[in-house]
């Protein structure tokens, strides 16, 4: 840590409603507003910034504090520190410290959700970086979305758990950061459960604890920890006995992370699926604190999932699905201690989707999933997004049971049909779509029938949204064969947002996403292509913003 110069300025400085005392490398602010606004510049190197408040553990992060004109501003929610004094120490240049100010609004709040490259029906954070969804759990009418978050920059680092809630999986309210780095490390990915049985002993009266299982990452190793919340997941208390699993020596690898925890009813115990080195390990526990290793399945990397689904909705005919961050999965059996693969690996989604996780505790029995969209938003003070929530199902096909993924029914509320036609040739379909080429948000449903061509698709300003190769059985470069291998048709449900495109083929048999990137010299807008193709149906839907 940089040695702090104890020479104080004689006169406190009033700056943007903040009262603080300035030292060389240190600033003190008596909190009387909701936010600290912090200027960020990517012309600066990262340096350590330490926040100190009496009675609260120090928080150390890396920040590119702007000394001149900021590229953008980030914020720290200090609404729970009213009347207290916060001390900020910075190891870089002192010049940027005087620009930090407190306010009841986030700097630039009037433009949030209206920015040019802000997705309009996908979740993004107000400021900073997001990646893996974490702790997806439904509780008392709310869907919780925790996520990997750097509150202090639009690039990866300073991993916290960000937090948002929704009543319908579509409209989200961003809440204060839920978990912050500590002496064990930064907050990596994990999961959350509701401890109705009071297994861990954290419950208070009739209030069950919402318990988060997460990885703490340091330079030396990754360990597994738990924290509990008694206020519906808003704030957490970390278990004093952390870590609950430290398996570096067992695996001779730092890579041991991303605990997925769920209750296994037949065995009356908790299960943790943990990615370790070359696959997913199974651990069991009765109290969420003491865990016993049971088995290991190789072939996966990061962000494990394991859950059971009925085939074609039949509760008496089920299979378990195991997958990792990449979108490949295995089908098999699970006895509470060991997963036994019977089929796979298969692919159900591809593109910039990564680290998808599913919700626990959903009352209607559905298995809803959210994935991180590795998609950038040029010139914005945030980066990364969550892709559309989808419902996962197992359906019988000619090749056996397969995993399907389609947007949750709640998403239908956002889209209104504005034009629909059937049995068009490509030219007529292109003419119909001309008026929609410049729309920033849109949904299109279509079915293309090939005839003289072995390839067909749909472009938007030269970008190939659909590229179906019947000869090589590929959809956008990835192997795909329809359930009827002689079929000459392919259907697509297309969701176009300001920076992304998501496509669901043949009712969710395979799906993919992409960044929205128009070719700079292309002016044709939407364009169906393929020799003598027929557009069996074409529906165009306008999209509402989830931020209104």
């Amino acid at each position: 840590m940089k040695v702090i110069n104890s020479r104080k300025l004689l006169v406190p400085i009033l700056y943007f409603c903040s009262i603080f005392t300035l030292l060389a490398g240190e600033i003190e602010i008596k909190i009387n507003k909701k936010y600290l606004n912090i200027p960020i510049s990517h012309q600066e190197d990262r340096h350590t910034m330490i926040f100190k408040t009496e009675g609260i553990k120090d928080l150390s992060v890396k920040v590119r504090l702007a000394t001149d004109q900021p590229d953008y501003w980030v914020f720290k929610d200090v609404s729970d520190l009213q009347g207290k004094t916060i001390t900020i120490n910075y190891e870089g240049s002192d010049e940027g410290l005087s620009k930090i100010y407190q306010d009841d609004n986030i700097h630039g709040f009037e433009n949030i959700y209206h920015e040019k490259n802000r997705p309009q029906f996908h979740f993004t954070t107000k400021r900073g970086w997001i990646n893996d969804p974490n702790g997806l759990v439904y509780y008392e009418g709310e869907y919780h979305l925790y996520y990997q978050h750097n509150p202090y920059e639009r690039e990866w680092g300073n991993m916290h758990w960000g937090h948002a809630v929704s009543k319908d999986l579509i409209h989200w309210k961003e809440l204060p950061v839920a978990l912050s780095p500590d002496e064990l490390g930064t907050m990596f990915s994990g999961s959350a459960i509701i401890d109705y049985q009071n297994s861990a002993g954290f419950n208070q009266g009739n209030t069950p604890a919402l318990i988060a299982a997460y990885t703490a990452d340091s330079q030396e190793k990754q360990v597994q920890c738990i924290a509990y919340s008694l206020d519906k997941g808003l704030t957490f208390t970390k278990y004093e006995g952390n870590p609950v699993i430290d398996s570096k020596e067992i695996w001779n690898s730092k890579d041991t992370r991303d605990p997925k925890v769920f209750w296994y009813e037949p065995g009356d115990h908790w299960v943790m699926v943990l990615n370790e080195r070359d696959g997913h390990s199974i651990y069991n526990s009765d109290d969420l604190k003491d865990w016993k290793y049971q088995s290991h399945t190789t072939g996966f990397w990061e962000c494990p999932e394991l859950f059971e689904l009925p085939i074609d909705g039949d509760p008496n005919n089920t299979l378990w699905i195991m997958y990792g961050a990449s979108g490949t999965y295995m089908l098999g059996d699970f006895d509470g201690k060991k997963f036994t693969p019977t089929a796979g690996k298969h692919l159900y989604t591809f593109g910039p989707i990564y680290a998808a996780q599913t919700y626990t505790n959903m009352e209607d029995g559905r298995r809803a999933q959210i994935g991180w969209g590795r998609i950038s938003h040029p010139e914005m003070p945030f980066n990364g997004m969550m892709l559309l929530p989808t419902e996962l199902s197992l359906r019988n096909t000619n090749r056996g049971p397969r995993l399907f993924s389609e947007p949750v029914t709640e998403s239908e509320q956002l889209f209104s049909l504005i034009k629909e036609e059937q049995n068009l040739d490509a030219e007529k379909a292109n003419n119909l779509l001309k008026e929609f080429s410049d729309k920033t948000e849109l949904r299109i449903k279509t079915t293309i029938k090939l005839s003289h061509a072995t390839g067909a698709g749909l472009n938007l300003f030269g970008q190939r949204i659909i590229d179906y190769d019947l000869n090589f059985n590929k959809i956008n470069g990835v192997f795909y064969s329809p359930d009827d291998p002689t079929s000459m048709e392919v259907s697509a449900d297309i969701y176009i947002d300001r920076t992304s495109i998501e496509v669901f083929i043949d009712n969710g048999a395979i799906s993919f996403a992409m960044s929205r990137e128009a070719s700079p010299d292309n002016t044709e807008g939407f364009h169906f292509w393929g020799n003598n193709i027929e557009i069996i149906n074409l529906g165009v839907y306008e999209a509402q913003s989830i931020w209104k």
Side-chain angles (χ1 to χ4, degrees):
M1 181 185 297
K2 181 178 179 179
V3 177
I4 299 173
N5 188 332
S6 61
R7 179 176 54 85
K8 293 185 178 180
L9 294 182
L10 298 177
V11 182
I13 301 172
L14 182 64
Y15 183 84
F16 284 96
C17 304
S18 295
I19 300 175
F20 58 77
T21 305
L22 183 65
L23 292 74
E26 185 176 282
I27 191 173
E28 292 181 351
I29 305 176
K30 186 173 182 180
I31 301 300
N32 54 33
K33 302 290 183 181
K34 188 174 182 180
Y35 301 106
L36 289 180
N37 286 296
I38 304 168
I40 301 299
S41 171
H42 287 262
Q43 306 304 311
E44 304 289 342
D45 293 330
R46 285 175 171 172
H47 294 284
T48 299
M49 179 176 281
I50 299 175
F51 296 92
K52 300 179 182 179
T53 310
E54 185 178 354
I56 300 175
K57 289 185 178 180
D58 297 352
L59 172 64
S60 176
V61 294
K62 300 289 187 180
V63 176
R64 300 181 191 271
L65 191 60
T67 57
D68 195 3
Q69 185 66 27
D71 293 330
Y72 54 92
W73 294 74
V74 296
F75 65 90
K76 179 175 174 60
D77 190 325
V78 290
S79 55
D80 60 337
L81 301 178
Q82 294 292 308
K84 295 185 177 181
T85 296
I86 188 168
T87 301
I88 306 173
N89 173 260
Y90 187 58
E91 292 185 355
S93 171
D94 302 343
E95 296 177 37
L97 285 172
S98 63
K99 298 180 184 295
I100 297 174
Y101 71 98
Q102 60 175 317
D103 202 331
D104 283 329
N105 289 308
I106 297 165
H107 187 99
F109 74 96
E110 64 277 4
N111 293 322
I112 291 179
Y113 305 130
H114 302 288
E115 304 98 323
K116 177 183 176 182
N117 287 321
R118 170 78 69 175
Q120 291 300 293
F121 53 88
H122 292 85
F123 176 79
T124 50
T125 188
K126 294 175 182 175
R127 295 286 185 267
W129 164 277
I130 63 174
N131 56 287
D132 307 0
N134 301 151
L136 304 190
V137 64
Y138 177 79
Y139 181 56
E140 292 194 352
E142 288 185 324
Y143 296 93
H144 291 266
L145 168 62
Y146 299 95
Y147 49 90
Q148 292 287 276
H149 184 37
N150 182 358
Y152 301 103
E153 194 180 320
R154 64 187 178 203
E155 294 180 359
W156 187 92
N158 301 317
M159 286 296 97
H160 295 59
W161 271 30
H163 188 198
V165 293
S166 172
K167 295 186 180 298
D168 62 2
L169 282 171
I170 301 300
H171 299 87
W172 296 95
K173 178 182 179 182
E174 187 172 342
L175 298 175
V177 162
L179 292 173
S180 299
D182 58 29
E183 65 277 3
L184 292 177
T186 56
M187 304 292 97
F188 270 27
S189 295
S191 55
I193 55 90
I194 309 299
D195 187 14
Y196 292 106
Q197 305 94 322
N198 198 23
S199 302
F202 298 139
N203 293 9
Q204 190 174 78
N206 295 323
T207 302
L210 190 158
I211 298 180
Y214 63 92
T215 297
D217 174 77
S218 66
Q219 289 185 346
E220 294 78 27
K221 59 184 177 179
Q222 295 172 343
V223 295
Q224 317 316 315
C225 304
I226 60 173
Y228 65 94
S229 172
L230 296 172
D231 57 5
K232 297 184 178 181
L234 185 63
T235 61
F236 283 87
T237 300
K238 293 174 181 176
Y239 172 48
E240 62 183 10
N242 282 334
V244 295
I245 297 178
D246 182 351
S247 58
K248 180 182 179 182
E249 299 306 320
I250 298 173
W251 288 94
N252 190 29
S253 172
K254 180 183 176 179
D255 295 313
T256 168
R257 57 179 173 270
D258 311 334
K260 176 69 177 187
V261 174
F262 62 91
W263 178 254
Y264 184 69
E265 187 70 35
D268 198 33
H269 61 72
W270 294 99
V271 172
M272 177 189 292
V273 193
L274 186 64
N275 183 258
E276 298 192 294
R277 194 172 64 190
D278 58 5
H280 294 344
S281 295
I282 303 294
Y283 289 79
N284 288 168
S285 177
D286 293 326
D287 62 3
L288 294 164
K289 299 173 182 176
D290 297 316
W291 292 91
K292 182 179 180 181
Y293 170 82
Q294 300 292 343
S295 62
H296 187 74
T297 303
T298 58
F300 292 105
W301 178 251
E302 298 187 317
C303 305
E305 264 287 9
L306 180 62
F307 52 89
E308 187 179 22
L309 284 179
I311 301 172
D312 293 332
D314 181 358
N316 297 313
N317 186 18
T318 66
L319 282 172
W320 285 79
I321 295 97
M322 176 178 278
Y323 67 65
S326 68
T328 59
Y329 66 96
M330 296 180 188
L331 301 174
D333 300 317
F334 182 61
D335 64 3
K337 296 183 178 181
K338 182 179 180 180
F339 173 75
T340 304
T342 57
K345 288 184 175 178
H346 303 302
L347 181 73
Y348 73 102
T349 187
F350 64 92
I353 184 173
Y354 196 75
Q357 292 286 285
T358 65
Y359 272 91
T360 58
N361 206 45
M362 288 185 69
E363 293 179 341
D364 55 12
R366 290 185 299 165
R367 181 62 59 166
Q369 172 191 268
I370 294 180
W372 167 39
R374 296 181 291 180
I375 291 171
S376 297
H377 317 282
E379 302 176 5
M380 294 294 101
F382 58 90
N383 204 354
M385 62 191 291
M386 296 301 165
L387 295 178
L388 284 172
T390 60
E391 181 179 352
L392 301 181
S393 60
L394 270 182
R395 305 178 198 173
N396 265 317
T397 72
N398 287 330
R399 297 175 301 284
R402 292 292 186 269
L403 192 61
F404 282 63
S405 174
E406 295 185 276
V408 294
T409 55
E410 290 90 337
S411 66
E412 293 289 337
Q413 65 185 289
L414 297 177
F415 305 102
S416 302
L417 183 66
I418 52 177
K419 186 157 289 191
E420 186 175 30
E421 295 288 346
Q422 296 179 341
N423 303 319
L424 304 170
D425 61 26
E427 183 179 0
K428 289 182 180 178
N430 292 337
N431 286 333
L432 183 149
L433 289 175
K434 276 184 179 179
E435 64 179 287
F436 305 108
S437 293
D438 293 329
K439 291 283 188 181
T440 55
E441 305 93 46
L442 204 64
R443 178 187 180 190
I444 294 175
K445 295 183 71 175
T446 188
T447 301
I448 304 172
K449 183 176 182 179
L450 288 74
S451 178
H452 296 63
T454 59
L458 174 64
N459 294 356
L460 176 56
F461 293 111
Q463 181 179 10
R464 292 205 165 181
I465 298 175
I466 304 172
D467 184 352
Y468 181 50
D469 187 329
L470 182 64
N471 187 28
F472 287 91
N473 290 108
K474 290 183 177 181
I475 187 84
N476 286 48
V478 174
F479 181 83
Y480 173 69
S481 178
D483 197 31
D484 176 2
T486 65
S487 172
M488 299 294 287
E489 296 182 4
V490 61
S491 70
D493 194 0
I494 306 164
Y495 295 81
I496 302 171
D497 208 339
R498 293 186 180 180
T499 57
S500 66
I501 300 173
E502 289 183 77
V503 183
F504 298 84
I505 298 295
D506 291 341
N507 301 311
I510 196 164
S511 62
F512 52 92
M514 64 187 76
S515 296
R516 184 174 177 177
E517 298 171 352
S519 300
D521 299 326
N522 191 293
T523 60
E524 69 183 358
F526 285 109
H527 176 69
F528 282 99
W529 55 272
N531 187 15
N532 204 30
I533 63 171
E534 182 180 358
I535 312 305
I536 300 297
N537 54 63
L538 178 60
V540 182
Y541 300 74
E542 64 180 357
Q544 297 180 20
S545 172
I546 65 173
W547 305 119
K548 290 182 180 179

